[in-house]
Amino acid sequence: MIRFHFLLLLLLLCLCLFSFSSVSVSSEECWVRCGAWRVAGEANNLGEWKAVPEECAEYVKAYMTGKGYLADLDIVSKEAAEFARTLQPAADGKDAWIFDIDETLLSNLPYYAAHGYGLEVFDHEKFNDWVEQGLAPAIEPSLKLYEDVLNLGFKVILLTGRSERHRSVTVDNLINAGFKDWNQLILRTPDDQGKRAILYKSEKRSDMVKDGYRILGNSGDQWSDLLGSSVSVRSFKLPNPMYYIP
Amino acid sequence: MIRFHFLLLLLLLCLCLFSFSSVSVSSEECWVRCGAWRVAGEANNLGEWKAVPEECAEYVKAYMTGKGYLADLDIVSKEAAEFARTLQPAADGKDAWIFDIDETLLSNLPYYAAHGYGLEVFDHEKFNDWVEQGLAPAIEPSLKLYEDVLNLGFKVILLTGRSERHRSVTVDNLINAGFKDWNQLILRTPDDQGKRAILYKSEKRSDMVKDGYRILGNSGDQWSDLLGSSVSVRSFKLPNPMYYIP
């Protein structure tokens, strides 16, 4: 009788471990592929993409809500702060650090959590409704970097793809989330509508350079925040596997 | 007696699961941090680094010898091939694709396996001994891409940080690994010694442009293969968490 119970328990244990390990193998392969897809995006190896690949929906959700996203934000912010500390902003107040807003200073994760974490194709109307609530929380490692560069004496310039009509709600949201003392907040004017982000942001950086600013640092979650012309001395790509803006 | 055995077995099971999960928690956190470090490197967010962080030695070894490295190579090669297929090389034979060699076409993994997978600081002398054996295997996804771009009608230009004195062993190694029909193989001449890779490679690309080449694609495992001047229309960053060349 004792031997029987022992065997039964051992059998159950084996079954449990076996089913656990076979689930892990198939999901591990998908996880590896989706990890490779995410890293390819961060390294700017992917072409334009419209939505998260269907097989990666669970992976992206786990990444965004788990430790991975935070760890990635953390190291980018620390590397940027370390670079900033090697610089000596000049007394003329023309050394600038640019920050993008969405997924850089403010997190729209509450919105994306309700919309498949990037699995759904981007819906401007619904997203605007969310923006107009002004409830996006701060991305904490970015807030830390923001304060660091201000304290070091940089001028902070905010350059966002949001529209001028969202200026007031954006200002309120930023202030409520803890951001302050920026030098300029640049939003898309009616003239900028329809321009690709990489062109719009390059033009605005070119204006900054014409105004005498030296762009030493630039933080953004899209490569279109960072590449183009009048680029920063160093650029910092924050993680974002949820959407791609060309 | 039966109950006692049952309880004992349950206790052992709990202890086993508990120790397993607590090992995973601490190693999971290290894994997450090291994953973030690796991705930061791939996204060009790290400054110059000399060696893999000590806590990431096991992580990098597991990545390089496991499924992750291969999956990353695979997606980069596929994205590059997809881009290449959207192009129509012109009849003048001046559309070029540049490949770096080490960790791009040829793998030095057998060397790094014997030298801590990047944990040891780079040793030129020992590495040269390895190069002179001419035994580096092909990186298979890159060989596939190499053949694809040749078949599409691109001119392939190999641009490497290796020295001219290694030309013959490099040619033999490439041919033995399956690479052929390149248009040019550019190695560092005595004049190029001591130049930073990003400058050396920019100068060589600038020469190509002067020679009438249009650089449409560029594959390399270092950002210094890809950035600088006369850059390619699109660049493809192959993974490499083992070393950094400025």
Side-chain angles (χ1 to χ4, degrees):
Chain A
M1 191 64 179
I2 296 173
R3 189 173 290 169
F4 175 75
H5 274 96
F6 245 85
L7 285 174
L8 190 69
L9 212 64
L10 272 173
L11 185 70
L12 280 171
L13 183 61
C14 287
L15 273 173
C16 170
L17 285 176
F18 176 76
S19 69
F20 181 75
S21 68
S22 64
V23 166
S24 324
V25 168
S26 76
S27 77
E28 190 205 333
E29 275 174 15
C30 173
W31 238 238
V32 169
R33 270 198 308 276
C34 293
W37 173 80
R38 179 175 69 79
V39 175
E42 294 308 324
N44 203 18
N45 284 327
L46 300 178
E48 289 188 27
W49 53 275
K50 301 288 181 200
V52 169
E54 214 154 309
E55 71 159 354
C56 299
E58 279 306 308
Y59 170 88
V60 169
K61 178 181 174 180
Y63 167 77
M64 292 301 298
T65 56
K67 292 174 183 171
Y69 180 52
L70 268 178
D72 284 339
L73 289 170
D74 221 45
I75 195 167
V76 181
S77 165
K78 280 180 182 153
E79 288 291 325
E82 204 168 293
F83 169 66
R85 281 192 295 272
T86 66
L87 306 168
Q88 306 277 337
D92 65 0
K94 288 295 191 180
D95 286 317
W97 196 289
I98 302 173
F99 286 95
D100 167 57
I101 294 181
D102 292 295
E103 268 55 71
T104 299
L105 296 185
L106 296 178
S107 171
N108 298 302
L109 203 46
Y111 171 82
Y112 285 99
H115 292 89
Y117 296 93
L119 191 66
E120 293 176 21
V121 173
F122 187 72
D123 182 323
H124 278 280
E125 210 165 309
K126 283 185 192 161
F127 185 73
N128 283 342
D129 290 347
W130 155 256
V131 164
E132 283 158 18
Q133 292 178 53
L135 294 174
I139 290 182
E140 291 299 331
S142 296
L143 178 53
K144 174 83 177 61
L145 171 65
Y146 183 99
E147 288 167 347
D148 285 350
V149 301
L150 271 182
N151 289 336
L152 285 165
F154 287 90
K155 289 285 188 294
V156 163
I157 300 178
L158 310 184
L159 175 52
T160 173
R162 292 186 176 195
S163 298
E164 268 296 344
R165 69 188 174 92
H166 287 140
R167 177 176 287 274
S168 143
V169 72
T170 299
V171 167
D172 291 348
N173 196 154
L174 284 165
I175 288 170
N176 289 336
F179 297 96
K180 54 184 181 180
D181 296 334
W182 57 81
N183 183 260
Q184 294 174 54
L185 166 58
I186 304 169
L187 304 99
R188 278 185 194 253
T189 63
D191 276 358
D192 299 316
Q193 298 300 332
K195 274 182 198 164
R196 285 164 75 91
I198 193 165
L199 174 66
Y200 157 68
K201 295 209 165 181
S202 292
E203 287 177 352
K204 298 300 170 184
R205 284 196 302 270
S206 159
D207 291 345
M208 293 173 209
V209 172
K210 280 180 204 141
D211 290 344
Y213 286 102
R214 293 171 296 271
I215 306 169
L216 302 186
N218 186 4
S219 298
D221 65 294
Q222 299 290 323
W223 281 102
S224 54
D225 294 332
L226 309 173
L227 299 178
S229 52
S230 303
V231 298
S232 179
V233 171
R234 264 187 76 183
S235 294
F236 295 91
K237 168 70 177 72
L238 280 75
N240 188 351
M242 298 190 301
Y243 59 87
Y244 178 92
I245 300 175
Chain B
M1 192 61 178
I2 296 174
R3 189 172 291 167
F4 175 73
H5 274 95
F6 243 86
L7 284 174
L8 190 69
L9 211 66
L10 271 174
L11 186 68
L12 280 171
L13 184 61
C14 287
L15 273 173
C16 172
L17 285 176
F18 176 76
S19 69
F20 181 76
S21 70
S22 63
V23 166
S24 332
V25 166
S26 77
S27 75
E28 189 204 331
E29 274 174 15
C30 174
W31 237 237
V32 168
R33 271 198 309 277
C34 293
W37 173 80
R38 180 175 68 80
V39 176
E42 294 308 323
N44 203 19
N45 284 328
L46 300 178
E48 289 188 27
W49 52 274
K50 302 285 181 202
V52 169
E54 213 153 310
E55 71 160 354
C56 299
E58 279 305 308
Y59 170 87
V60 169
K61 178 182 175 180
Y63 168 77
M64 291 301 296
T65 55
K67 292 174 184 170
Y69 181 50
L70 268 178
D72 284 340
L73 289 171
D74 220 46
I75 195 167
V76 182
S77 165
K78 279 179 183 154
E79 287 292 325
E82 205 168 291
F83 169 64
R85 280 192 294 271
T86 65
L87 305 168
Q88 306 277 337
D92 65 1
K94 289 293 191 182
D95 285 318
W97 196 289
I98 302 174
F99 287 95
D100 168 56
I101 294 182
D102 292 296
E103 268 54 72
T104 299
L105 296 186
L106 297 178
S107 171
N108 299 302
L109 203 47
Y111 171 83
Y112 285 98
H115 292 89
Y117 297 93
L119 191 66
E120 294 175 19
V121 174
F122 187 72
D123 182 323
H124 278 281
E125 211 166 309
K126 283 185 192 161
F127 185 72
N128 283 342
D129 290 346
W130 155 256
V131 164
E132 284 157 17
Q133 292 178 52
L135 295 174
I139 290 182
E140 291 299 331
S142 296
L143 178 54
K144 174 83 177 61
L145 172 65
Y146 183 99
E147 288 167 346
D148 285 351
V149 300
L150 271 182
N151 289 336
L152 284 165
F154 286 91
K155 287 286 187 295
V156 163
I157 300 178
L158 309 185
L159 176 51
T160 173
R162 292 186 175 195
S163 299
E164 269 295 345
R165 70 187 173 93
H166 287 140
R167 178 177 288 274
S168 143
V169 72
T170 300
V171 167
D172 290 348
N173 196 154
L174 285 165
I175 288 171
N176 289 336
F179 297 96
K180 54 184 181 181
D181 296 334
W182 58 80
N183 184 259
Q184 294 175 52
L185 165 59
I186 303 170
L187 304 101
R188 277 185 194 253
T189 64
D191 277 359
D192 300 317
Q193 298 300 334
K195 275 182 197 162
R196 286 164 74 90
I198 193 166
L199 175 65
Y200 156 68
K201 297 210 165 181
S202 291
E203 287 177 353
K204 298 302 170 184
R205 284 195 302 270
S206 158
D207 292 345
M208 293 173 210
V209 171
K210 280 180 205 142
D211 290 344
Y213 287 101
R214 292 173 295 273
I215 307 170
L216 303 187
N218 186 4
S219 297
D221 65 294
Q222 300 290 323
W223 280 101
S224 54
D225 296 330
L226 309 173
L227 300 177
S229 53
S230 303
V231 298
S232 179
V233 171
R234 265 186 75 185
S235 294
F236 295 90
K237 169 71 176 72
L238 280 75
N240 187 352
M242 299 190 300
Y243 59 87
Y244 176 90
I245 300 176

